Amino acid sequence: MSVGAGRPREARPTLAVVGATGAVGTVMLDILSTREDVWGEIRLVASARSAGRQLRVRGEEVVVQALTPDVFDDVDVAMFDVPDEVSLAWAPVAATRGAVVVDNSNAFRMDVDVPLVVPEVNPLAARSRPRGIIASANCTTLSVIVAVAALHREYGLTGLVCASYQAVSGAGRIGVDTLHDQLQKVAGQRELGTRVGDVRRAIGGDDLGPFPAPIALNVIPWAGSYRGAGHTSEEMKVRDETRKILGLPRLAVAVTCVRVPVVTTHSVAVHATFEREVELDRAREILRDAPSVVLDDDPEGGGFPTPIDAVGTDPTWVGRVRRSIDDPTSLDFFLCADNLRKGAALNTAQVAELVAAELATARA
């Protein structure tokens, strides 16, 4: 967004980035340095143990400040990427001090007084924020929603079945380290994976990290924590958040989340059902024209998205688009999106830019 970019920096809104030293925070700083600059001062905030570090943003070295109430004085917008419990404690503090909080945790997503915003889908929702807080969606939801929402506007979504293939970075730095450590242990042992238990023995029972089973040479049909009746927190997030973002509280959603040995970028196989018959060429046209979506769909020529090609990019990449053989109202497709960019840092930054534009208009 370019709103405010031509104004002197001191006249633009002040931004705080809370959790600036984390994995997503680092990506946030890169995004702030490469998108059009709508911000005045940018304050970098983290825990007391990280205070005093210097991080680079917009080509400048900025000292990290400790998370205290005073750090939000005169802040217009605060982007949070911290654990749920930290957001629950500190987002209301920032809002009380006058900042509009854009929170990337799960703490407020299903709060009825907190809008859940994806700028390509429901940007106007960001204007109604009774608590002074706006939530950004889960990484898997964000991977799916921009493509599904574009199709929903044309055909009317009635049901969604998804199987995710989620990168280990979704489990944090420890997830990435665990994958690399396990890969070192199995490297060069070509016989592994041919007998029951051989991979587990090679890795050892104490090297599972955040996962319930080995992730090297394996896939794990489990992501998140247990939420009852066999479902995980990641699966429930996709269901509940999709309903809220699209304004479809009774939408039928079935999700199975799977962890795969990919460092960064989530993939999802989607089966979407609509009110009306889907015309394939029109569906491809919708996806091709949808904001933040790139259609990569040439299956005969080997053209379809994969995580290693989508990583480090901003769009959701969609391919393998086909009408369901047995149901003309259903569409099947495969997509990939970087879970640290659009799935986290980028969407948070985009929502913050919506607020910056709103503030600039109000102050004009």
Side-chain angles (χ1 to χ4, degrees):
M1 290 187 178
S2 58
V3 176
R7 301 162 64 208
R9 186 172 283 183
E10 62 270 15
R12 302 177 200 170
T14 296
L15 174 70
V17 180
V18 183
T21 58
V24 174
T26 301
V27 178
M28 283 181 176
L29 301 190
D30 175 63
I31 287 170
L32 290 170
S33 300
T34 53
R35 289 175 69 81
E36 285 200 69
D37 187 8
V38 302
W39 303 107
E41 178 189 358
I42 295 180
R43 297 181 192 174
L44 306 185
V45 184
S47 63
R49 67 178 178 273
S50 296
R53 288 180 57 185
Q54 288 192 339
L55 299 176
R56 195 166 185 82
V57 60
R58 299 188 301 189
E60 304 169 359
E61 295 293 329
V62 179
V63 177
V64 176
Q65 302 181 48
L67 180 57
T68 65
D70 293 347
V71 82
F72 297 109
D73 287 348
D74 301 318
V75 167
D76 296 292
V77 183
M79 299 196 307
F80 273 62
D81 187 81
V82 292
D84 293 359
E85 61 274 15
V86 179
S87 282
L88 281 169
W90 284 96
V93 173
T96 299
R97 294 274 174 148
V100 176
V101 174
V102 184
D103 182 51
N104 192 44
S105 79
N106 189 48
F108 301 100
R109 288 174 184 154
M110 301 315 298
D111 188 317
V112 295
D113 291 324
V114 175
L116 182 61
V117 177
V118 181
E120 298 89 344
V121 181
N122 61 340
L124 294 181
R127 294 179 177 267
S128 177
R129 41 181 190 266
R131 300 188 61 182
I133 300 170
I134 304 169
S136 184
N138 171 262
C139 52
T140 313
T141 305
L142 285 167
S143 300
V144 174
I145 198 70
V146 288
V148 167
L151 294 165
H152 166 60
R153 285 190 286 268
E154 178 88 4
Y155 293 113
L157 186 68
T158 61
L160 195 62
V161 180
C162 298
S164 72
Y165 307 88
Q166 296 184 214
V168 295
S169 56
R173 180 78 251 171
I174 187 175
V176 176
D177 290 342
T178 297
L179 173 60
H180 284 300
D181 290 344
Q182 291 183 5
L183 288 174
Q184 285 186 330
K185 290 187 175 183
V186 302
Q189 301 186 59
R190 296 194 176 192
E191 74 283 1
L192 288 179
T194 62
R195 292 181 175 81
V196 173
D198 59 359
V199 173
R200 288 184 182 272
R201 286 190 293 273
I203 289 171
D206 297 328
D207 192 28
L208 298 182
F211 309 119
I215 187 63
L217 306 182
N218 202 19
V219 299
I220 304 171
W222 189 268
S225 55
Y226 186 61
R227 285 294 182 267
H231 302 288
T232 74
S233 57
E234 286 288 303
E235 292 158 353
M236 296 304 296
K237 287 175 189 177
V238 176
R239 173 184 179 268
D240 296 342
E241 293 172 18
T242 298
R243 287 175 158 191
K244 183 173 180 178
I245 294 164
L246 296 180
L248 299 173
R250 297 184 181 278
L251 180 68
V253 182
V255 186
T256 300
C257 289
V258 181
R259 194 73 71 182
V260 297
V262 169
V263 175
T264 300
T265 296
H266 290 350
S267 304
V268 185
V270 178
H271 176 83
T273 302
F274 302 94
E275 295 172 357
R276 296 179 295 282
E277 183 173 333
V278 178
E279 201 281 313
L280 183 57
D281 288 341
R282 175 58 182 151
R284 286 199 176 108
E285 181 182 3
I286 291 167
L287 292 168
R288 188 179 298 112
D289 294 340
S292 299
V293 173
V294 173
L295 184 65
D296 180 11
D297 191 32
D298 179 21
E300 290 186 43
F304 39 73
T306 70
I308 60 170
D309 299 312
V311 65
T313 68
D314 290 340
T316 291
W317 297 75
V318 180
R320 295 296 320 281
V321 182
R322 59 216 187 271
R323 195 167 76 166
S324 177
I325 294 174
D326 299 316
D327 181 2
T329 68
S330 294
L331 197 70
D332 295 303
F333 53 93
F334 185 82
L335 58 84
C336 297
D338 187 315
N339 55 296
L340 299 182
R341 292 189 71 85
K342 182 56 181 176
L346 176 60
N347 196 73
T348 306
Q350 288 175 304
V351 176
E353 289 169 359
L354 288 177
V355 180
E358 179 187 336
L359 294 174
T361 299
R363 294 171 181 176

